[in-house]
Amino acid sequence: MANLSSEFLGIKSPNPFWLASAPPTDKAYNVNRAFEAGWGGAVWKTLGEDPPIVNVNGPRYAASYSNDRRVIGFNNIELITDRPLDVNLKEMRFIKRDWPDRALVASVMFPMQEEAWAKYVPMVEDTGADAFELNFGCPHGMSERGMGAAVGQVPEYIQATTELCKKYARIPVIVKLTPNVTNILPPARAAKAGGADAVSLINTVNSIMRVDYETLSMYPTTDGMGSHGGYCGQGVKPIVLHMIAEIARTQDTADIPISGIGGITDWRDAVDHLALGAQNVQVCTAVMVYGFKIIDDLTTGLSNFLDEKAMTSVRELVGRAVPSVTDWQYLNLNYIEKAHIDQDTCISCGRCHIVCEDVSHQAITSTVDGERRFEVIEEECVGCNLCVSVCPIEGCISMQQLTSGVDPRTGRPVTSEKADWTTHANNPMRSK
């Protein structure tokens, strides 16, 4: 069986699944239960200065639901830990003593003042923590105090603050990046320039979930007023994967280790993160919905996947998909695929026909010889994949490659061979 043991920045853990800095890691009770369940590590909920901040005593979360009321995301307005620093440090020390084989990372957020880092960094290190994670991502509350995303959105601040921590730290320093930027590369480069040993991403996405349809105020509110918060969960995974891949495929950032965070609910999500360049993953929202025992499905699923791929370790999976990521201008425009409907599995719901007829290329018939039957009109199909996306039966509609002939739309010959420049080694964008 595949070996799930993980090593990140020299920090060993029995598997690559860590709990992200969040409510599930707010105290020793939670983290102890998580480690008993089998989690490989935990990033302690973000520590700050004393006296601790004050959180709202009211609704802190709002959920986004699927049609069957399954939680697919949270918006939260909770801040960093509101427990005294000495209590957190004491509990961290006990956890590391009791679980020496698990990763314990201290998430921290201190002002951009050298005296603060000089004071608190040694105190945190004394717990036995394996690394720091600098929280440069919190988009609400702390950013109004000049911390969190207020630092993470300014590369110069990222570099300067990372340098402050590295000046006093003896253990590795991870910089947690905010997604609330137009380009993730400048923040990643700034973290590297500041001496960061790794980056983690993403923190939550700035958001307002909805309004209260009775009062027409935003939801949730505290005494009638609300605030933007951070969005997390399955809905943010595509954003995460794009940003991870950008760092992993760009020459001057490709060598910085990545801890992937966001949208991990099952083992497939973890595979996405790892294959696109993350070396381990952090989980929060799924635990807040389903509890710590989901670690069983995560580890079993990942182990089985690695076995199927004849991989003996997680390391073999890391970055495997990165060579396939390029910019649009380098795609092979001579490559042709078209949709095919398997009539044996088709339930004749008509969704493919409706979307193709209304918003696409009118390439799917609704009747054949007077019968309700859906077939692809090959000369009209542009291979957009929309029908595959909306079909409720997995595998019923598939994309099939055309290997000969002429594209009826362009008159150009069809080829299945990709040009040399689409390979990882010769891709011009590999070194952008």
Side-chain angles (χ1 to χ4, degrees):
M1 293 181 63
N3 181 6
L4 291 189
S5 62
S6 171
E7 185 169 337
F8 185 76
L9 300 180
I11 306 166
K12 296 181 179 180
S13 55
N15 60 64
F17 296 101
W18 294 1
L19 290 171
S21 170
T25 62
D26 188 37
K27 57 178 69 72
Y29 178 84
N30 301 44
V31 175
N32 189 66
R33 284 176 56 83
F35 287 170
E36 287 177 344
W39 287 85
V43 183
W44 203 271
K45 186 170 172 63
T46 305
L47 308 173
E49 293 184 291
D50 274 332
I53 55 89
V54 177
N55 271 296
V56 296
N57 288 306
R60 301 179 184 181
Y61 308 108
S64 175
Y65 299 103
S66 64
N67 289 337
D68 59 356
R69 198 172 164 76
R70 179 173 53 85
V71 174
I72 57 176
F74 280 128
N75 172 286
N76 87 87
I77 61 168
E78 183 165 300
L79 305 182
I80 65 175
T81 183
D82 52 11
R83 306 165 70 231
L85 180 61
D86 63 333
V87 173
N88 278 298
L89 297 180
K90 179 180 178 181
E91 292 186 2
M92 290 172 66
R93 189 173 294 109
F94 289 155
I95 286 291
K96 192 59 187 176
R97 179 199 65 190
D98 294 342
W99 298 94
D101 66 327
R102 309 302 169 93
L104 183 64
V105 176
S107 175
V108 298
M109 185 186 291
F110 302 127
M112 291 181 60
Q113 300 164 0
E114 183 167 357
E115 56 268 27
W117 295 91
K119 175 182 178 180
Y120 292 114
V121 165
M123 292 172 61
V124 175
E125 282 191 344
D126 190 55
T127 65
D130 297 299
F132 287 99
E133 184 180 79
L134 310 189
N135 185 345
F136 292 161
C138 190
H140 56 275
M142 304 311 299
S143 56
E144 287 89 326
R145 295 166 166 82
M147 294 181 281
V151 174
Q153 291 170 330
V154 183
E156 294 80 6
Y157 294 170
I158 294 175
Q159 180 175 342
T161 309
T162 303
E163 289 172 346
L164 281 178
C165 186
K166 286 292 293 184
K167 182 176 181 179
Y168 296 99
R170 296 170 297 172
I171 56 178
V173 174
I174 306 166
V175 169
K176 189 172 185 178
L177 301 177
T178 175
N180 299 299
V181 293
T182 55
N183 186 345
I184 199 63
L185 292 176
R189 288 171 175 140
K192 181 179 177 181
D197 299 284
V199 293
S200 60
L201 64 155
I202 59 174
N203 209 308
T204 53
V205 180
N206 212 352
S207 58
I208 292 177
M209 190 63 78
R210 65 177 179 89
V211 300
D212 185 310
Y213 305 115
E214 294 297 323
T215 64
L216 293 184
S217 59
M218 71 161 287
Y219 178 87
T221 59
T222 300
D223 193 23
M225 299 296 291
S227 173
H228 62 92
Y231 186 66
C232 58
Q234 287 178 286
V236 308
K237 191 181 81 168
I239 300 171
V240 180
L241 297 182
H242 160 67
M243 292 184 170
I244 288 175
E246 282 299 284
I247 294 173
R249 77 185 181 103
T250 302
Q251 189 174 49
D252 62 346
T253 57
D255 59 343
I256 188 166
I258 300 171
S259 181
I261 313 169
I264 298 170
T265 300
D266 63 25
W267 63 268
R268 295 173 184 83
D269 302 320
V271 169
D272 293 336
H273 280 68
L274 295 166
L276 283 167
Q279 293 185 11
N280 73 357
V281 294
Q282 300 182 32
V283 183
C284 171
T285 306
V287 167
M288 294 178 68
V289 176
Y290 302 110
F292 290 135
K293 289 299 290 181
I294 66 166
I295 188 61
D296 292 339
D297 291 333
L298 291 170
T299 53
T300 300
L302 180 58
S303 179
N304 290 340
F305 176 81
L306 294 175
D307 288 343
E308 291 173 5
K309 295 296 182 182
M311 297 181 183
T312 59
S313 68
V314 175
R315 184 175 294 276
E316 293 181 56
L317 175 61
V318 172
R320 288 290 290 270
V322 174
S324 66
V325 182
T326 188
D327 288 330
W328 194 96
Q329 62 182 319
Y330 297 107
L331 299 178
N332 184 0
L333 300 185
N334 290 324
Y335 181 82
I336 304 296
E337 285 186 348
K338 293 182 182 292
H340 172 76
I341 300 174
D342 181 0
Q343 298 300 328
D344 291 335
T345 58
C346 178
I347 61 173
S348 298
C349 67
R351 291 180 64 181
C352 61
H353 167 70
I354 292 171
V355 298
C356 190
E357 194 73 14
D358 286 355
V359 301
S360 195
H361 294 85
Q362 298 77 53
I364 297 180
T365 63
S366 59
T367 58
V368 177
D369 297 329
E371 298 181 4
R372 181 178 173 86
R373 180 183 172 94
F374 301 94
E375 289 187 352
V376 175
I377 307 171
E378 188 171 290
E379 58 268 24
E380 298 296 336
C381 178
V382 300
C384 71
N385 204 44
L386 180 60
C387 56
V388 177
S389 301
V390 302
C391 179
I393 305 300
E394 185 176 1
C396 176
I397 307 179
S398 59
M399 300 304 297
Q400 297 189 352
Q401 178 183 342
L402 301 185
T403 58
S404 62
V406 174
D407 182 354
R409 296 166 297 141
T410 64
R412 293 184 299 189
V414 174
T415 177
S416 63
E417 296 179 359
K418 292 188 176 183
D420 290 342
W421 38 254
T422 61
T423 64
H424 182 60
N426 299 311
N427 183 354
M429 296 307 292
R430 177 74 178 107
S431 59
K432 73 175 183 179

